[in-house]
Coordinates of all heavy atoms in Angstrom, one line a residue:
Chain B
D729 N 32.6 4.3 -10.2 CA 31.8 3.3 -10.9 C 31.1 2.3 -9.9 O 30.3 1.5 -10.3 CB 32.6 2.5 -12.0 CG 34.0 2.4 -11.6 OD1 34.3 1.9 -10.5 OD2 34.8 2.8 -12.5
Q730 N 31.4 2.5 -8.7 CA 30.6 1.8 -7.7 C 30.1 2.8 -6.7 O 30.9 3.4 -5.9 CB 31.5 0.7 -7.0 CG 30.7 -0.1 -5.9 CD 31.6 -1.1 -5.2 OE1 32.1 -2.0 -5.9 NE2 31.7 -1.0 -3.9
W731 N 28.8 3.0 -6.7 CA 28.1 3.9 -5.8 C 27.6 3.2 -4.5 O 27.1 2.1 -4.6 CB 27.0 4.7 -6.5 CG 27.5 5.5 -7.6 CD1 27.5 5.1 -8.9 CD2 28.0 6.8 -7.6 NE1 28.0 6.1 -9.7 CE2 28.3 7.2 -8.9 CE3 28.2 7.8 -6.6 CZ2 28.8 8.4 -9.2 CZ3 28.7 9.0 -6.9 CH2 29.0 9.3 -8.2
G732 N 27.8 3.9 -3.4 CA 27.4 3.2 -2.2 C 25.9 3.0 -2.1 O 25.5 2.1 -1.5
Y733 N 25.1 3.9 -2.7 CA 23.7 3.8 -2.5 C 23.0 4.4 -3.7 O 23.3 5.4 -4.2 CB 23.3 4.7 -1.2 CG 21.9 4.7 -0.9 CD1 21.2 3.6 -0.4 CD2 21.1 5.9 -1.0 CE1 19.9 3.6 -0.1 CE2 19.8 5.9 -0.7 CZ 19.2 4.7 -0.2 OH 17.8 4.7 0.1
G734 N 22.0 3.6 -4.2 CA 21.2 4.0 -5.3 C 19.8 4.2 -4.9 O 19.3 3.4 -4.0
F735 N 19.1 5.1 -5.5 CA 17.7 5.3 -5.1 C 16.9 5.9 -6.3 O 17.5 6.3 -7.3 CB 17.5 6.3 -3.9 CG 18.1 7.7 -4.1 CD1 17.2 8.7 -4.4 CD2 19.4 7.9 -3.9 CE1 17.7 10.0 -4.6 CE2 19.9 9.2 -4.1 CZ 19.1 10.2 -4.4
M736 N 15.6 5.8 -6.2 CA 14.8 6.3 -7.4 C 14.5 7.7 -7.3 O 14.0 8.2 -6.2 CB 13.4 5.5 -7.4 CG 13.6 4.0 -7.6 SD 14.1 3.5 -9.2 CE 13.0 4.4 -10.2
A737 N 14.8 8.5 -8.4 CA 14.4 9.9 -8.4 C 14.0 10.3 -9.8 O 14.1 11.5 -10.2 CB 15.6 10.7 -8.0
D738 N 13.5 9.3 -10.6 CA 13.2 9.6 -12.0 C 11.7 10.2 -12.1 O 11.1 10.5 -11.0 CB 13.4 8.4 -12.9 CG 12.3 7.3 -12.7 OD1 11.7 7.3 -11.6 OD2 12.2 6.5 -13.6
N739 N 11.2 10.2 -13.2 CA 9.9 10.8 -13.4 C 8.7 9.9 -13.2 O 7.6 10.1 -13.7 CB 9.8 11.4 -14.8 CG 10.2 12.9 -14.8 OD1 11.0 13.3 -14.0 ND2 9.6 13.7 -15.7
T740 N 8.9 8.7 -12.6 CA 7.8 7.8 -12.3 C 7.4 7.9 -10.9 O 7.9 8.6 -10.1 CB 8.3 6.4 -12.6 OG1 9.3 6.0 -11.6 CG2 8.8 6.2 -14.0
L741 N 6.3 7.2 -10.6 CA 5.7 7.2 -9.2 C 6.6 6.6 -8.2 O 6.5 6.8 -7.0 CB 4.4 6.5 -9.2 CG 3.2 7.2 -9.9 CD1 2.0 6.4 -9.9 CD2 3.0 8.5 -9.1
H742 N 7.6 5.8 -8.6 CA 8.6 5.2 -7.7 C 9.3 6.3 -6.9 O 9.6 6.1 -5.7 CB 9.6 4.4 -8.4 CG 9.1 3.1 -9.0 ND1 8.6 2.1 -8.2 CD2 9.0 2.7 -10.3 CE1 8.2 1.1 -9.0 NE2 8.4 1.4 -10.2
T743 N 9.5 7.4 -7.5 CA 10.3 8.5 -6.8 C 9.5 8.9 -5.5 O 10.1 8.9 -4.5 CB 10.5 9.6 -7.8 OG1 11.4 9.2 -8.8 CG2 11.2 10.8 -7.1
P744 N 8.3 9.4 -5.6 CA 7.6 9.8 -4.4 C 7.4 8.6 -3.4 O 7.5 8.8 -2.2 CB 6.3 10.5 -4.8 CG 6.1 9.9 -6.2 CD 7.4 9.7 -6.8
H745 N 7.1 7.5 -4.0 CA 6.9 6.3 -3.1 C 8.1 6.0 -2.3 O 8.0 5.8 -1.1 CB 6.5 5.1 -4.0 CG 5.2 5.1 -4.6 ND1 4.7 4.2 -5.5 CD2 4.1 6.0 -4.5 CE1 3.5 4.5 -5.9 NE2 3.1 5.6 -5.3
M746 N 9.3 6.0 -2.9 CA 10.5 5.7 -2.1 C 10.8 6.8 -1.1 O 11.2 6.5 0.0 CB 11.7 5.5 -3.1 CG 11.4 4.5 -4.2 SD 11.6 2.8 -3.6 CE 11.5 1.9 -5.2
W747 N 10.7 8.0 -1.6 CA 11.0 9.1 -0.7 C 10.1 9.2 0.5 O 10.6 9.5 1.6 CB 10.9 10.4 -1.5 CG 11.2 11.7 -0.7 CD1 12.5 12.0 -0.2 CD2 10.3 12.6 -0.2 NE1 12.4 13.2 0.5 CE2 11.1 13.6 0.5 CE3 8.9 12.8 -0.3 CZ2 10.5 14.7 1.1 CZ3 8.4 13.9 0.3 CH2 9.1 14.9 1.0
L748 N 8.8 8.9 0.3 CA 7.9 8.9 1.4 C 8.3 8.0 2.6 O 8.0 8.2 3.7 CB 6.5 8.6 1.0 CG 5.8 9.7 0.2 CD1 4.5 9.3 -0.5 CD2 5.5 10.9 1.1
T749 N 9.0 6.9 2.2 CA 9.4 6.0 3.3 C 10.3 6.7 4.3 O 10.2 6.5 5.5 CB 10.2 4.8 2.8 OG1 11.4 5.2 2.2 CG2 9.4 4.0 1.8
H750 N 11.1 7.7 3.8 CA 12.0 8.4 4.7 C 11.2 9.5 5.5 O 11.6 9.8 6.6 CB 13.1 9.1 3.8 CG 13.9 8.1 3.1 ND1 14.7 7.1 3.7 CD2 14.0 7.9 1.7 CE1 15.3 6.4 2.7 NE2 14.8 6.8 1.6

Side-chain angles (χ1 to χ4, degrees):
Chain B
D729 27 55
Q730 179 180 300
W731 296 93
Y733 181 68
F735 61 97
M736 297 292 309
D738 72 341
N739 269 30
T740 63
L741 285 177
H742 289 298
T743 296
H745 288 173
M746 305 283 189
W747 179 71
L748 284 169
T749 64
H750 302 294

